[in-house]
Amino acid sequence: MIQVLAFYLFATLAILSAVLVIMSRNPVHSVLWLILAFFNAAGLMVLAGAEFIAMLLVIVYVGAVAVLFLFVVMMLDIDFAELRAGFVRNFPLGMLIALVLLAELVFGIGAWRAGSIDLAPAGATEAAPMAASNIAAIGQVLYGKYLFLFESAGIILLVAMVGAIVLTHRDRKDTRPQNISKQNRRRPQDATVNMRPEIGEGVQL
Amino acid sequence: MVDLSQYLPILIFLGIALALSSLFVFLPMGVSRLTGTHNPDAEKLSEYECGFPAFEDPRSQFDVRFYLVAILFIIFDLEAAFLFPWAVSLDMTGWPGWITMMVFLGELAIGLAYAWKKGALEWE
């Protein structure tokens, strides 16, 4: 009973916020609605029994990706009037993308109806023990059977990091970074001078 | 199967938070309309003593360095997310799982060293 109530709460809010993502005029508001949609998707995941995925949604999507979207939206210098002017011109392209997404949905449902893909030889797959928790079952296959995919994920993350640095990092002349070894090498006699000026004269530094 | 009853306190908390926050937003609006104090005019709505009119559009572009920090945050966030199932299932995956994770951490440590060496972590 409570589960059904919670499901309808999360599902309604998810659809509502998803509609508001595309309907709101300010892109920043769109991103905020997107964050709400992610939260509701996490609630739905908990209801479906995928606890770890739910927590990942909150940590990665809400915590990181949504912040990144906000950055992108705020970094672009958007003129809102100009943004709305291209609606009619971009309408066919938008409809095309919507059709592609719809086709993917249809294909996905068809593939689900057709049954699961059997990549491994029969009998080689062993189902995760149901007694183990969700996260332990994921860990067991991710670090056991799918080692190579996990390591490639690591390589992809490394490439993403290097790419982001190469694209956005500039050598800035106005920064004053801390140079610890130079700080530690500095002795009092390098920094201070003992002067004995004559009376009535200034100090020449 | 997941024991969903453990999540019931969170759901109750969510409900209370939703109810209280909407109360705090809509109750003053309703009360001010009912008691007749809701009477805005141009002078009341202006920034007359709590500030001044903005000099420029607040939505200006800002430095790309924020974006770089956000990207680095996402990558190490994902690394931490990968660590949780590894830590829980270590007794089942054994040495291969341990070595895999160490290789993964090594890859990201190379990335961190690169970012550090390039000065991407420096601000000013």
Side-chain angles (χ1 to χ4, degrees):
Chain A
M1 175 60 193
I2 296 176
Q3 279 188 38
V4 174
L5 267 180
F7 172 77
Y8 282 111
L9 174 75
F10 288 137
T12 320
L13 279 177
I15 292 173
L16 198 74
S17 46
V19 167
L20 281 166
V21 169
I22 54 172
M23 297 301 278
S24 59
R25 308 211 139 187
N26 192 335
V28 178
H29 295 175
S30 287
V31 177
L32 294 177
W33 285 117
L34 188 67
I35 293 174
L36 184 64
F38 281 148
F39 265 120
N40 286 301
L44 287 176
M45 285 292 178
V46 167
L47 282 178
E51 290 172 292
F52 182 61
I53 303 292
M55 300 310 149
L56 270 194
L57 263 178
V58 173
I59 294 174
V60 175
Y61 277 81
V62 177
V65 175
V67 173
L68 201 64
F69 278 177
L70 262 184
F71 272 145
V72 170
V73 165
M74 294 175 94
M75 228 171 339
L76 299 173
D77 200 8
I78 298 171
D79 186 6
F80 292 122
E82 194 184 327
L83 204 68
R84 270 176 241 135
F87 181 76
V88 179
R89 194 159 43 85
N90 293 330
F91 189 72
L93 184 65
M95 283 311 286
L96 189 70
I97 292 174
L99 271 179
V100 169
L101 287 177
L102 183 69
E104 279 184 355
L105 267 182
V106 171
F107 280 144
I109 292 171
W112 177 71
R113 285 260 179 83
S116 61
I117 306 168
D118 208 6
L119 285 176
T125 52
E126 100 191 60
M130 287 313 281
S133 69
N134 211 297
I135 179 167
I138 288 179
Q140 202 180 350
V141 289
L142 187 60
Y143 306 110
K145 194 177 157 196
Y146 297 112
L147 276 183
F148 176 71
L149 293 179
F150 173 64
E151 291 298 352
S152 358
I155 296 284
I156 289 170
L157 284 180
L158 179 64
V159 170
M161 190 194 268
V162 172
I165 292 170
V166 167
L167 282 177
T168 62
H169 185 66
R170 307 266 178 281
D171 262 331
R172 304 171 69 91
K173 294 286 172 282
D174 55 337
T175 58
R176 286 169 295 176
Q178 186 182 20
N179 190 339
I180 295 171
S181 62
K182 198 178 166 193
Q183 277 181 349
N184 286 340
R185 272 207 311 276
R186 193 171 153 106
R187 295 272 84 89
Q189 51 268 27
D190 303 335
T192 55
V193 188
N194 204 353
M195 302 288 282
R196 190 184 289 279
E198 296 295 318
I199 294 170
E201 287 180 17
V203 177
Q204 195 81 42
L205 284 176
Chain B
M1 196 52 211
V2 183
D3 184 16
L4 278 179
S5 65
Q6 290 175 342
Y7 286 94
L8 186 62
I10 298 179
L11 189 67
I12 293 172
F13 174 76
L14 260 182
I16 292 174
L18 203 67
L20 275 183
S21 54
S22 46
L23 198 72
F24 288 148
V25 171
F26 293 112
L27 191 70
M29 290 164 71
V31 165
S32 68
R33 274 189 171 74
L34 284 179
T35 54
T37 52
H38 179 72
N39 191 13
D41 53 47
E43 292 303 313
K44 271 190 190 176
L45 292 176
S46 66
E47 313 92 335
Y48 60 100
E49 65 181 4
C50 317
F52 44 83
F55 292 131
E56 56 188 7
D57 190 19
R59 289 180 39 81
S60 58
Q61 287 176 288
F62 53 85
D63 201 322
V64 77
R65 283 185 294 176
F66 291 102
Y67 182 73
L68 185 57
V69 170
I71 288 254
L72 292 177
F73 166 66
I74 287 185
I75 286 164
F76 289 107
D77 201 33
L78 270 173
E79 177 187 357
F82 274 124
L83 278 172
F84 287 113
W86 170 75
V88 172
S89 68
L90 196 55
D91 55 340
M92 289 180 276
T93 52
W95 281 104
W98 191 82
I99 293 168
T100 324
M101 183 47 92
M102 288 307 131
V103 173
F104 178 76
L105 290 183
E107 283 164 7
L108 285 177
I110 291 170
L112 179 65
Y114 175 75
W116 200 336
K117 193 72 191 149
K118 283 290 273 187
L121 302 175
E122 275 160 12
W123 199 254
E124 288 199 307

